[in-house]
């Protein structure tokens, strides 16, 4: 690294970052080193691989790919193997009849000519396996890391690799939408997007859920659990096949149709991408692909996440970089995704993966030997590639450090003891020394709402603390605000609606029953919490499917602990459509809230100007996008002719949301 710094590739716009946050000035050499490492890696790709464009399209040569003449070209990277073979239905599962030829740097290749009829020797829909002869002579049957389709056939425990080359592949009909100025995200899971106790399908989501999302005013859907994962209850975070769309919901063409229809509705589609770790499955995953404990991962303890029981990538490895960058490119170009929410960024950024770490806010915690700069350089490279080749794409970083954050604005320096925002400059341009993400998740906000509701009486709510949490973010870095996400919906936690109304949601949500104080309070606070978070908390907004109408039950996937039940692995959308139930009022409010933002664009406006946080009155007032927002959180007092200040003199039309409109 010292040699890299000595070469002195300057960070073009670093002075701009340091002028905005002078507290980063002592760490200018760190930004310089990181940028130089990125620059050197990019230059090496240009010199040795024919450029980033070609390098990141390696899915066209690795794995099994059909040639124009009907033949197949196969390539794998298996540096620890003594021999590599292809077997499957096409050769009667003869394990050694089709050997790969060893080429440079641990790569192996095989060409299979077309059949006499000119067609592919491996028919569409037939099964394949890569056979690895390890250095100790063991014969291993593996799924190619580049497999485009895998499925669990019949009652098999493991997934099978199925050659996917349909004669009439799905063709997109609609152009991709432009990047939204205001990002309103509907976080979704295809498998639970039905009231039925089963795994729902891509088709169901396309024709039953996308219209709901459009009607609610969301302009972006974030799809979870799409990358293939053998264990359904992992919520899609234990990936086994990185290039395969999960077959439990349907075919790859079904997913392509889903995204295409979303685009026709003007909805941007983000993939929840997991490059922070991989499943430790070896029979149907990446683990021990070539018979060693390394290959794509670090060997030894560094290659295993102690809490997740999963494998950790070696981001310094050239072929791992090829694999991960090509994976991002694949999802954009093959399926039409418009960007990514990168999961587990905290785990990537630090050698301790953030385990047992309390971040105090000292900037030294984000620089130094404890930072995994190989992973950081990969993230910078990924953002560079995505935005260079697909400028309309969006990237969101999920970080989960609890720490203090210095928030430098034009007016003040704030220090918080409880904020979740991550490494400085994560969402700044690469030219400034940043990592190039467009947004980061404001994960402190849902934590704050949970703490308030759990620990405080209504009369003890602190207005200043609420405002502080909602506004305490790094200046000129964009945040996605949310009151709750899938994390709060999972079994073991509670949604806001459940915390506010609890058991009465089962008995008193009918308009035919009396409006109890618990339900009345719960509905009002559910609305107010979501609106103030939407309007004050960030430059984007996120909601997990069903939470908009206060879904009454937690989310629990089928597993041994619940007798493999699907009862809680579903979303009961019909509750919001039933005019007898009060869920429809929450659903309507969510729609009106998004439509109002669509009209005035506060998410795309500068941060709000807070004019009042009145503790005894429990009133919060702020201005944003030429709107004045007034919130009365007092549990028992209303105010007539309440006077508030306004930056601009004039008449302001009044918008009032009652509980029943």
């Amino acid at each position: 690294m010292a040699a890299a710094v000595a070469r002195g590739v300057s960070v073009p716009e670093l002075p701009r970052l340091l002028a905005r946050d002078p507290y980063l000035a002592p760490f200018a050499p760190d930004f310089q080193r990181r940028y130089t490492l990125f620059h050197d890696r990019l230059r090496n790709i240009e010199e040795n691989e024919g450029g980033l464009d070609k390098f990141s399209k390696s899915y066209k040569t690795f794995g099994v790919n059909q040639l124009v003449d009907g033949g197949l070209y196969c390539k794998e990277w298996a540096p620890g193997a003594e021999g590599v073979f292809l077997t499957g239905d096409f050769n009667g599962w003869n394990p050694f009849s089709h050997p790969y030829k060893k080429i440079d740097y641990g790569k192996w290749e095989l060409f299979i000519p077309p059949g006499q009829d000119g067609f592919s020797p491996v028919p569409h829909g037939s099964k394949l396996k890569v056979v690895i002869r390890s250095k100790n002579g063991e014969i291993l049957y593996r799924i190619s890391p580049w497999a485009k389709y895998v499925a669990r056939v019949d009652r098999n425990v493991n997934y099978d690799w199925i050659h996917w080359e349909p004669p009439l592949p799905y063709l997109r009909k609609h152009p991709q939408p432009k990047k939204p100025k205001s990002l309103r995200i509907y976080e979704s899971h295809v498998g639970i997007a039905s009231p039925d106790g089963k795994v729902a399908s891509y088709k169901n989501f396309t024709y039953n859920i996308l219209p709901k999302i459009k009607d609610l005013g969301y302009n972006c859907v974030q799809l979870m659990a799409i990358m293939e994962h053998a264990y359904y209850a992992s919520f899609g975070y234990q990936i086994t096949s990185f290039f395969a769309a999960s077959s439990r919901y349907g075919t790859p063409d079904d997913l392509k149709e889903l995204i295409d229809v979303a685009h026709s509705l003007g909805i941007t589609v983000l993939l929840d991408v997991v490059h922070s770790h991989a499943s430790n499955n070896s029979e149907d995953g990446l683990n021990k692909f070539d018979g060693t404990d390394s290959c794509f991962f670090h060997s030894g303890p560094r290659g295993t996440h102690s809490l997740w029981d999963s494998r950790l990538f070696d981001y310094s490895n050239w072929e791992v970089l090829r694999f991960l960058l090509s994976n991002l490119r694949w999802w954009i170009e093959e399926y039409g995704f418009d960007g990514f929410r990168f999961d587990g960024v905290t785990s990537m950024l630090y050698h301790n993966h953030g385990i047992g770490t309390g971040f105090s806010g000292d900037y030294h915690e984000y620089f130094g030997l404890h930072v995994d700069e190989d992973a950081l350089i990969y993230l910078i490279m990924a953002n560079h590639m995505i935005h260079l080749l697909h400028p309309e794409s969006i990237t969101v970083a999920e970080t989960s450090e609890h720490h203090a954050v210095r928030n430098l604005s034009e007016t003040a320096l704030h220090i918080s003891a409880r904020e979740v925002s991550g490494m400085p400059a994560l969402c700044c341009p690469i030219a400034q020394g940043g990592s190039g993400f467009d947004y980061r998740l404001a994960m402190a906000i849902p934590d704050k709402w949970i703490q308030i509701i759990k620990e405080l009486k209504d009369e003890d709510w602190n207005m200043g603390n609420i405002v502080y949490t909602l506004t305490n973010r790094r200046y000129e870095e964009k945040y996605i605000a949310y009151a709750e996400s899938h994390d709060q919906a999972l079994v073991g936690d509670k949604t806001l609606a459940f915390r506010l109304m609890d058991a009465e949601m089962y008995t008193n949500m009918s308009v035919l029953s009396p409006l109890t104080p618990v339900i009345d309070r719960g509905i009002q606070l559910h609305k107010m919490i979501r609106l103030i978070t939407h309007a004050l908390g960030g430059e984007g907004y996120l909601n997990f499917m069903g939470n908009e109408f206060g879904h009454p039950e937690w989310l629990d996937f089928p597993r041994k602990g619940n007798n493999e039940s699907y009862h809680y692995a579903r979303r009961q959308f019909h509750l919001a459509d039933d005019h007898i139930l009060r869920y429809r009022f929450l659903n309507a409010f969510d729609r009106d809230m998004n439509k109002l933002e669509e009209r005035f664009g506060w998410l795309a406006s500068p941060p709000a100007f807070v004019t009042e946080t009145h503790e005894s009155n429990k009133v919060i007032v702020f201005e944003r996008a030429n709107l004045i927002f007034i919130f009365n959180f007092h549990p028992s007092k209303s105010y007539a002719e309440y006077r508030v200040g306004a930056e601009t003199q004039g008449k302001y039309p009044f918008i009032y949301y009652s509980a029943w409109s």
Side-chain angles (χ1 to χ4, degrees):
M1 289 187 179
V5 174
R7 284 194 290 273
V9 179
S10 62
V11 187
E13 299 176 24
L14 181 60
R16 180 175 173 181
L17 174 66
L18 302 183
R20 188 164 65 247
D21 187 350
Y23 289 89
L24 289 174
F27 306 99
D30 294 86
F31 287 109
Q32 181 74 54
R33 182 183 64 256
R34 293 171 179 178
Y35 185 83
T36 300
L37 291 170
F38 156 71
H39 183 273
D40 287 353
R41 182 63 61 92
L42 183 62
R43 187 192 62 206
N44 286 338
I45 291 173
E46 297 291 337
E47 292 177 354
N48 298 297
E49 294 284 351
L52 186 60
D53 182 28
K54 181 180 178 182
F55 185 64
S56 61
K57 287 197 292 189
S58 292
Y59 55 81
K60 291 182 176 291
T61 54
F62 279 76
V64 174
N65 287 279
Q66 187 165 313
L67 302 175
V68 176
D69 66 358
L72 293 178
Y73 180 70
C74 314
K75 184 190 287 188
E76 300 294 345
W77 177 62
E82 281 293 314
V84 179
F85 310 85
L86 188 69
T87 189
D89 292 336
F90 78 101
N91 67 355
W93 292 97
N94 185 322
F96 307 120
S97 65
H98 287 74
Y100 286 66
K101 175 186 176 183
K102 189 172 185 178
I103 51 178
D104 56 346
Y105 304 110
K107 295 192 278 279
W108 303 75
E109 67 176 1
L110 165 67
F111 173 71
I112 307 177
Q116 293 182 350
D117 55 5
F119 289 100
S120 170
V122 179
H124 167 67
S126 60
K127 296 179 184 178
L128 292 170
K129 278 288 178 72
V130 173
V131 180
I132 301 289
R133 181 189 289 126
S134 69
K135 291 188 183 297
N136 63 9
E138 189 178 5
I139 301 300
L140 306 170
Y141 286 79
R142 296 290 190 249
I143 292 176
S144 169
W146 304 80
K148 300 177 177 68
Y149 185 63
V150 299
R152 182 173 284 157
V153 180
D154 299 324
R155 294 184 176 274
N156 290 352
V157 174
N158 296 320
Y159 276 71
D160 285 308
W161 172 20
I162 299 174
H163 184 57
W164 189 262
E165 199 72 50
L168 296 173
Y170 184 85
L171 299 177
R172 294 180 208 162
K173 302 177 181 65
H174 306 284
Q176 292 178 259
K178 294 290 185 181
K179 183 187 299 185
K181 293 181 179 179
S182 295
L183 198 60
R184 301 182 298 275
I185 302 173
Y186 197 78
E187 186 183 33
S188 304
H189 187 292
V190 170
I192 66 170
S194 163
D196 301 324
K198 64 178 184 180
V199 178
S201 67
Y202 293 124
K203 290 283 188 182
N204 168 73
F205 197 94
T206 301
Y207 294 105
N208 295 325
I209 307 305
L210 283 178
K212 291 181 183 292
I213 296 171
K214 176 68 175 178
D215 177 65
L216 284 168
Y218 292 93
N219 58 10
C220 178
V221 59
Q222 177 185 304
L223 292 180
M224 309 173 65
I226 294 298
M227 302 167 73
E228 191 59 272
H229 48 292
Y231 185 42
Y232 189 42
S234 74
F235 220 140
Y237 292 120
Q238 293 275 344
I239 306 302
T240 44
S241 290
F242 282 73
F243 286 81
S246 183
S247 58
R248 56 173 54 88
Y249 319 127
T251 69
D253 283 4
D254 292 341
L255 176 58
K256 292 175 184 179
E257 181 189 29
L258 185 162
I259 296 169
D260 198 22
V261 171
H263 288 165
S264 75
L265 297 173
I267 296 173
T268 294
V269 186
L270 302 183
L271 174 68
D272 198 352
V273 71
V274 185
H275 282 182
S276 50
H277 64 130
S279 167
N280 66 6
N281 287 20
S282 56
E283 294 291 332
D284 52 8
L286 288 185
N287 190 25
K288 299 181 180 178
F289 172 69
D290 65 352
T292 70
D293 77 331
S294 53
C295 197
F296 289 93
F297 311 108
H298 291 289
S299 62
R302 189 181 176 188
T304 302
H305 196 290
S306 60
L307 293 184
W308 296 343
D309 191 27
S310 54
R311 299 305 313 273
L312 299 173
F313 287 105
D314 179 0
Y315 300 103
S316 67
N317 189 290
W318 190 267
E319 294 303 323
V320 172
L321 192 65
R322 180 199 306 277
F323 180 78
L324 295 177
L325 290 177
S326 296
N327 188 233
L328 297 172
R329 189 86 181 269
W330 164 260
W331 290 110
I332 292 175
E333 299 195 355
E334 181 70 15
Y335 284 91
F337 278 99
D338 304 295
F340 305 96
R341 178 259 203 192
F342 281 77
D343 180 73
V345 170
T346 298
S347 177
M348 298 173 69
L349 290 177
Y350 307 101
H351 288 298
N352 64 11
H353 312 297
I355 299 172
T357 302
F359 289 79
S360 67
D362 189 325
Y363 275 176
H364 288 87
E365 294 170 335
Y366 309 115
F367 304 93
L369 296 177
H370 52 283
V371 175
D372 189 339
E373 291 195 340
D374 292 330
L376 180 59
I377 299 310
Y378 162 67
L379 291 172
I380 294 172
M381 183 70 72
N383 278 302
H384 171 74
M385 180 202 74
I386 291 166
H387 293 120
L388 174 69
L389 301 176
H390 296 277
E392 294 298 315
S393 292
I394 298 167
T395 58
V396 180
E398 185 252 7
T399 58
S400 54
E401 312 90 304
H402 293 258
H403 64 287
V405 58
R406 290 190 173 99
N407 173 14
L408 287 161
S409 66
E410 297 172 350
T411 56
L413 169 68
H414 302 297
I415 299 180
S416 166
R418 174 82 168 160
E419 170 63 302
V420 186
S421 47
M423 183 172 288
L426 198 66
C427 293
C428 291
I430 295 170
Q432 293 181 19
S435 301
F437 284 100
D438 294 301
Y439 297 89
R440 67 204 311 172
L441 294 182
M443 300 184 75
I445 296 175
D447 287 350
K448 175 55 64 177
W449 288 124
I450 290 170
Q451 183 224 339
I452 289 172
I453 295 170
K454 280 180 63 175
E455 300 177 6
L456 300 178
K457 298 177 181 178
D458 289 0
E459 56 268 27
D460 295 332
W461 286 28
N462 185 295
M463 301 298 101
N465 190 248
I466 291 172
V467 168
Y468 186 69
T469 302
L470 290 169
T471 58
N472 187 27
R473 53 190 185 267
R474 293 190 60 80
Y475 186 58
E476 289 194 2
E477 293 195 46
K478 293 191 288 187
Y479 286 69
I480 304 293
Y482 59 103
E484 54 187 342
S485 69
H486 71 273
D487 289 325
Q488 288 72 42
L490 287 170
V491 63
D493 207 336
K494 286 185 177 181
T495 63
L496 287 178
F498 220 51
R499 289 186 184 278
L500 291 166
M501 295 177 279
D502 209 31
E504 287 203 23
M505 297 187 74
Y506 294 110
T507 58
N508 296 325
M509 286 299 279
S510 171
V511 297
L512 302 179
S513 63
L515 178 63
T516 66
V518 169
I519 297 298
D520 189 19
R521 169 184 177 272
I523 288 177
Q524 303 293 357
L525 285 177
H526 192 274
K527 293 178 177 182
M528 293 175 70
I529 287 170
R530 299 176 93 76
L531 179 56
I532 196 171
T533 300
H534 202 311
L536 188 58
E539 291 70 40
Y541 178 75
L542 178 144
N543 166 68
F544 179 64
M545 62 189 314
N547 287 356
E548 69 276 4
F549 63 83
H551 197 281
E553 293 177 337
W554 55 89
L555 179 60
D556 191 12
F557 288 90
R559 54 188 174 84
K560 288 183 179 179
N562 63 13
N563 295 318
E564 303 295 338
S565 172
Y566 284 85
H567 181 73
Y568 295 110
R570 59 190 182 126
R571 297 278 92 179
Q572 301 179 64
F573 292 105
H574 61 282
L575 297 176
D577 299 329
D578 193 330
H579 285 269
I580 294 178
L581 299 179
R582 293 185 168 105
Y583 296 105
R584 68 183 176 93
F585 303 131
L586 296 176
N587 197 67
F589 181 86
D590 200 73
R591 179 193 302 114
D592 292 344
M593 179 174 66
N594 283 320
K595 296 292 186 181
L596 189 66
E597 197 289 324
E598 184 177 22
R599 177 182 170 191
F600 288 97
W602 61 68
L603 292 173
S605 299
F609 179 67
V610 180
T611 57
E612 181 175 335
T613 53
H614 201 296
E615 295 301 338
S616 59
N617 289 347
K618 302 299 179 192
V619 170
I620 296 172
V621 183
F622 59 88
E623 297 181 41
R624 194 175 187 187
N626 295 318
L627 294 171
I628 299 178
F629 294 85
I630 307 172
F631 291 85
N632 175 17
F633 281 98
H634 202 287
S636 59
K637 288 184 180 179
S638 296
Y639 306 100
E641 299 182 3
Y642 196 91
R643 295 172 64 86
V644 299
E647 185 177 14
T648 305
Q649 185 178 2
K651 292 184 178 181
Y652 290 80
F654 186 58
I655 302 174
Y656 176 70
Y657 287 100
S658 74
W660 319 118
S661 61

